[in-house]
């Protein structure tokens, strides 16, 4: 049986990114028939519309990855009350040329963690705005604004008991959302 492919876009390039760890921990809560595949965004050039007609190999790879997926999972930190530039850059790349967006219609989930009290809420709202324009149906509830604290992750990378139940509920809703948006 073929798996439902989820393109995981992490909005941080940092080696020790808590959001990448979160993305990995979340994938472990997904069902067996879902494959969570991380999208490389760190080597993309800065978006320049002049290159739309002749995109780089990295951009072609990005668009092919998104096109081959049946769902999207955005796991992002908040930078200055918005999404990191690297994430916006990747979104812009795969949205072009005009009329050839790779994002169109792919069901998405948005989640993120930061040390701040509102746990990426502002970044997620900004991201939802962008995704709405790109015609990406995005899971509305439950919202997940995660405040990172010492002990958030267990030594094996899983989320500690306190957060795990909540995240399992989030993942179950996300899986239902992705399934509901599959053609046929
Ligand atoms: C440029 C920059 C801006 C930041 N702005 C915010 C912010 O607006 N809100 C917030 O909660 N944390 C903010 N932070 C702190 C990040 O949440 C924290 O560095 C987090 O660990 C980043 O996620 P990562 O570990 O996945 O890289 C900012 C960090 C940086 C580097």
């Amino acid at each position: 049986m073929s798996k439902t492919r989820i393109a995981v876009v992490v909005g941080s390039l940092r080696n020790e990114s808590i959001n990448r760890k979160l993305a990995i921990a979340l994938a472990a809560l997904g069902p067996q028939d879902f494959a969570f595949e991380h999208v490389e965004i760190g080597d993309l050039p800065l978006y320049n519309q002049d290159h739309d007609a002749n995109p780089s190999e990295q951009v072609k790879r990005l668009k092919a990855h998104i096109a081959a997926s049946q769902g999207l999972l955005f796991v992002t930190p908040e930078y200055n009350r918005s999404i990191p530039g690297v994430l916006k850059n990747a979104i812009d790349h795969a949205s072009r040329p005009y009329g050839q967006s790779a994002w169109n219609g792919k069901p998405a989930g948005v989640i993120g963690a930061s040390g701040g009290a509102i746990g990426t809420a502002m970044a997620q709202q900004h991201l939802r705005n962008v995704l709405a324009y790109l015609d990406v149906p995005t899971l509305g509830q439950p919202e997940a604004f995660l405040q990172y604290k010492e002990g958030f992750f267990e030594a094996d990378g899983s989320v500690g008991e306190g957060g795990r139940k909540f995240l399992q509920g989030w993942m179950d809703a996300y899986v239902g959302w992705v399934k509901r948006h599959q053609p046929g």
Side-chain angles (χ1 to χ4, degrees), residues 12 14 16-20 77-81 113-116:
S12 171
R14 200 166 74 88
E16 290 300 311
S17 165
I18 56 175
N19 285 282
R20 191 173 309 103
E78 181 171 281
Y79 276 7
N80 300 315
R81 295 286 181 252
S114 79

Side-chain angles (χ1 to χ4, degrees), residues 27-104:
L29 301 177
Q32 288 289 326
D33 59 341
F34 270 47
F36 292 85
E37 299 165 335
H38 284 232
V39 178
E40 176 64 57
I41 64 169
D43 62 351
L44 293 170
L46 288 178
Y47 177 74
N48 180 338
Q49 196 176 356
D50 289 342
H51 302 153
D52 271 9
N54 191 18
S56 67
E57 288 306 314
Q58 294 96 318
V59 173
K60 285 191 215 165
R61 181 202 64 213
L62 170 75
K63 289 195 78 171
H65 189 153
I66 304 303
S69 70
Q70 284 88 49
L72 310 168
L73 176 58
F74 292 91
V75 188
T76 187
E78 181 171 281
Y79 276 7
N80 300 315
R81 295 286 181 252
S82 186
I83 55 174
V86 289
L87 175 55
K88 185 61 162 54
N89 188 52
I91 292 172
D92 291 343
H93 268 301
S95 72
R96 289 280 158 162
Y98 183 76
Q100 294 173 45
S101 170
W103 306 110
N104 196 26

